[in-house]
Amino acid sequence: MLTNNPWESSAARGWKVVDASTLERDADLEADVVIVGTGAGGGTAAEILADSGLAVILVEEGPLSTSRDFNMRESEAYPTLYQESAARKTKDKAIGILQGCCVGGGTTVNWTSSFRTPDTTLAYWHRTYGLEGFTSGDLAPWFARMEARLGVAPWTVPPNANNEALARGAAKLGISTTAIQRNVKGCWNLGYCGMGCPTNAKQSMLITTVPAALDRGATLVTRARALEFAHRGDRVTALSCAAMDAGGVHTTARRLSIRARAFVAAGGAIGTPALLLRSRVPDPHGIVGKRTFLHPTVVSAAVMPEQIDPFAGAPQTVYSDHFLEAAPLDGPIGFKLEAAPAHPLLMATTMPGRGRAHASAMRELPHLHVALALLRDGFHPDSSGGSVTLDDSGAPVLDYPLTPFLWDGVRRAFRAMAEIQFAAGAATVTPIHDDGAAFASLAAARSAIDGFALAPLATPVVSAHVMGGCPLGPDPAHSAVDTSGRYHHLANLHVFDGSLFPTSIGANPQMSIYGIVARLATDLATALSPRGRPDGDRARAPGSD
């Protein structure tokens, strides 16, 4: 039986939902708290703040699409649910960026991989950036709270053939792998998570925290682009938004002005820095938008003798941190290995070659195994990430230099993936690169990889993880927000999303956002809520006495 879609009963439940594309006149709204974005950060904050008795308005640029709209068709999902129709690129077009643009944000379209922030990352933040109160012990109860809320648990179903091949090849080489936890309940094991869950099994913000906030009286405004925060002195006074057209591409003439006591930027690590830059917030040290990180990711495709059907079954259930654990933070860049689902359109835009060569490669899709290597950037002087700026129209532009330090990691990742795929029994392996032919032996693949001219555009790089740009820290000279998530230079502006991270995570980031934002939003609720404790009494971790 199909899991209940909470949006089917929205009218009966009295939910306040405004589709800005239908507005016939400008609108003025008011609340205690305005949250820009409904993804992992915005959705988590909305439930916590609304539950404390505060009037909350959620602003989402994308549409409200629900399970009745999710038909597992790539041609409809990418234009509807992703930023720039899943074709967002860095300034030089060298890196493709997958980001959600819909109610629930990335949580609606991600592959459900759920990792706590690695201990090594948190220790580095403490040691390098002076972050107090963000150790593994400090955050553990907040992670546990959100794992319970969102059904995060080990995936006990046997992995699909794509993930099993990664585990099999790694095991033959003595490389450890581990099962990935997933935020699902009653999963049908379809494999189309990236197109929105048609059964409501994925415990995204779309079916958990956003509906919970609406049950508590929050208002959701969809198809509304946040333009800028108006501010006077040390306070934000209003948020200005432009209504989008029904297609979600262009703005209309309709404007919304929203006043509030507190404002939360949770538009993601490209959207939030861009909003702050458009708003011309005080930024005396030029922090906003700098040190933005992606986990640059490269792909290796292998043809297996057996049928893989890499589009079927839970998409990511096996990973290896072998090449992260073996890489010291101050040494050559490490990388995380995962298996990626391979749907036809996604692979058609990924596989190298043209004409008959490309058609031949696509005919092998049922036998294709796809490995990913996610590079852990931000921990070495030669890995400083990128920067978000604005173009002439005010739209965000991410400039992300691909340095020799990163390319060294790419070459090592290609070698490691090829070795694992051949160990798993691959007939051929194709590192995704302009020179990446289908190699029939490990020796041939190694020789070619060692000779690759690694360069932007010649070597496709992708990422679905955007982090940083408004980092946490106690020192305004080196951070955008303090350790409560408050913007250093504006008393009532908070940042609650992945742009808080001082470096990349080194793992899929949704759980890191959930846990950290749960803590920060609970403190904000305490400070603002009439039901809260007196100011200055920090919210205790869930389960503490």
Side-chain angles (χ1 to χ4, degrees):
M1 179 180 294
L2 182 66
T3 306
N4 180 53
N5 178 355
W7 297 94
E8 297 288 357
S9 58
S10 60
R13 295 162 81 166
W15 288 357
K16 292 175 283 189
V17 180
V18 178
D19 181 348
S21 71
T22 67
L23 291 177
E24 296 180 354
R25 59 182 64 84
D26 294 348
D28 294 312
L29 303 173
E30 191 167 347
D32 292 315
V33 186
V34 175
I35 302 173
V36 178
T38 60
T44 297
E47 179 178 28
I48 291 168
L49 293 166
D51 193 47
S52 72
L54 295 164
V56 173
I57 295 177
L58 284 151
V59 176
E60 170 57 54
E61 180 173 334
L64 171 58
S65 297
T66 72
S67 56
R68 62 190 168 196
D69 305 303
F70 301 150
N71 55 23
M72 300 166 58
R73 293 176 185 158
E74 291 178 274
S75 60
E76 295 181 23
Y78 299 150
T80 304
L81 304 176
Y82 286 80
Q83 287 282 357
E84 301 178 37
S85 298
R88 174 165 273 184
K89 304 283 188 182
T90 51
K91 184 177 182 179
D92 61 0
K93 314 301 182 189
I95 306 176
I97 303 169
L98 293 174
Q99 282 187 295
C101 185
C102 54
V103 174
T107 74
T108 297
V109 296
N110 69 22
W111 298 338
T112 76
S113 302
S114 301
F115 297 90
R116 293 188 180 189
T117 315
D119 293 350
T120 51
T121 298
L122 294 173
Y124 182 84
W125 290 355
H126 179 265
R127 183 172 66 252
T128 306
Y129 298 103
L131 275 182
E132 299 289 344
F134 289 84
T135 66
S136 296
D138 294 323
L139 292 176
W142 298 99
F143 288 139
R145 166 180 168 169
M146 294 308 296
E147 286 164 350
R149 174 70 180 94
L150 302 174
V152 175
W155 180 242
T156 58
V157 176
N160 67 4
N162 197 37
N163 284 270
E164 194 279 329
L166 174 62
R168 182 176 71 245
K172 288 187 177 180
L173 299 172
I175 294 170
S176 63
T177 59
T178 308
I180 298 176
Q181 296 200 117
R182 306 181 65 220
N183 60 313
V184 296
K185 291 182 179 179
C187 177
W188 289 25
N189 205 24
L190 298 175
Y192 282 72
C193 305
M195 279 139 263
C197 181
T199 69
N200 297 311
K202 185 193 302 186
Q203 300 299 290
S204 67
M205 304 296 96
L206 175 67
I207 68 161
T208 57
T209 61
V210 172
L214 293 173
D215 272 338
R216 291 157 175 78
T219 298
L220 171 65
V221 182
T222 66
R223 290 194 175 103
R225 176 175 292 166
L227 296 177
E228 62 180 355
F229 293 116
H231 49 91
R232 184 181 306 111
D234 71 342
R235 300 189 69 82
V236 174
T237 57
L239 171 69
S240 174
C241 302
M244 305 298 294
D245 62 13
V249 176
H250 304 290
T251 59
T252 72
R254 300 280 71 82
R255 294 292 181 267
L256 298 89
S257 179
I258 310 174
R259 305 182 68 83
R261 295 164 56 198
F263 298 80
V264 173
I270 291 178
T272 287
L275 174 58
L276 269 56
L277 290 170
R278 285 195 299 271
S279 304
R280 296 182 175 84
V281 297
D283 185 19
H285 303 287
I287 302 296
V288 174
K290 303 299 191 297
R291 289 185 62 81
T292 300
F293 298 102
L294 283 178
H295 288 155
T297 299
V298 291
V299 181
S300 185
V303 175
M304 294 291 178
E306 73 274 20
Q307 191 156 334
I308 298 292
D309 288 343
F311 40 79
Q316 278 185 337
T317 59
V318 172
Y319 75 99
S320 176
D321 277 349
H322 174 85
F323 297 97
L324 283 181
E325 294 165 353
L329 291 177
D330 58 355
I333 196 165
F335 49 89
K336 187 183 198 78
L337 294 181
E338 296 174 344
H343 298 99
L345 197 158
L346 187 63
M347 290 313 298
T349 59
T350 300
M351 293 299 289
R354 296 170 182 82
R356 291 180 179 177
H358 187 271
S360 177
M362 289 301 298
R363 279 194 290 271
E364 301 286 0
L365 182 63
H367 291 265
L368 204 64
H369 171 263
V370 181
L372 296 178
L374 293 78
L375 277 68
R376 178 182 59 190
D377 48 351
F379 296 84
H380 187 279
D382 293 331
S383 180
S384 58
S387 58
V388 174
T389 58
L390 302 175
D391 67 14
D392 291 342
S393 72
V397 177
L398 175 60
D399 187 14
Y400 209 95
L402 291 166
T403 64
F405 179 79
L406 288 173
W407 288 128
D408 172 72
V410 168
R411 198 180 304 276
R412 287 184 288 108
F414 276 145
R415 290 183 194 133
M417 290 187 286
E419 187 171 5
I420 289 171
Q421 289 171 319
F422 277 115
T428 63
V429 170
T430 301
I432 304 302
H433 178 272
D434 272 3
D435 295 338
F439 302 105
S441 71
L442 178 58
R446 280 176 171 167
S447 177
I449 291 167
D450 289 347
F452 279 169
L454 299 176
L457 300 177
T459 310
V461 180
V462 296
S463 185
H465 306 157
V466 190
M467 300 152 284
C470 294
L472 279 164
D475 183 0
H478 299 98
S479 60
V481 302
D482 66 20
T483 53
S484 73
R486 182 184 65 82
Y487 188 69
H488 276 300
H489 310 291
L490 290 168
N492 63 339
L493 175 61
H494 289 70
V495 175
F496 287 170
D497 61 18
S499 62
L500 291 168
F501 304 152
T503 64
S504 76
I505 292 294
N508 307 56
Q510 72 165 339
M511 267 310 308
S512 295
I513 300 171
Y514 291 144
I516 290 172
V517 169
R519 172 183 157 176
L520 300 181
T522 299
D523 283 345
L524 180 58
T526 299
L528 294 176
S529 172
R531 301 205 306 251
R533 292 178 294 277
D535 289 352
D537 183 7
R538 173 173 285 278
R540 293 175 296 174
S544 64
D545 295 323

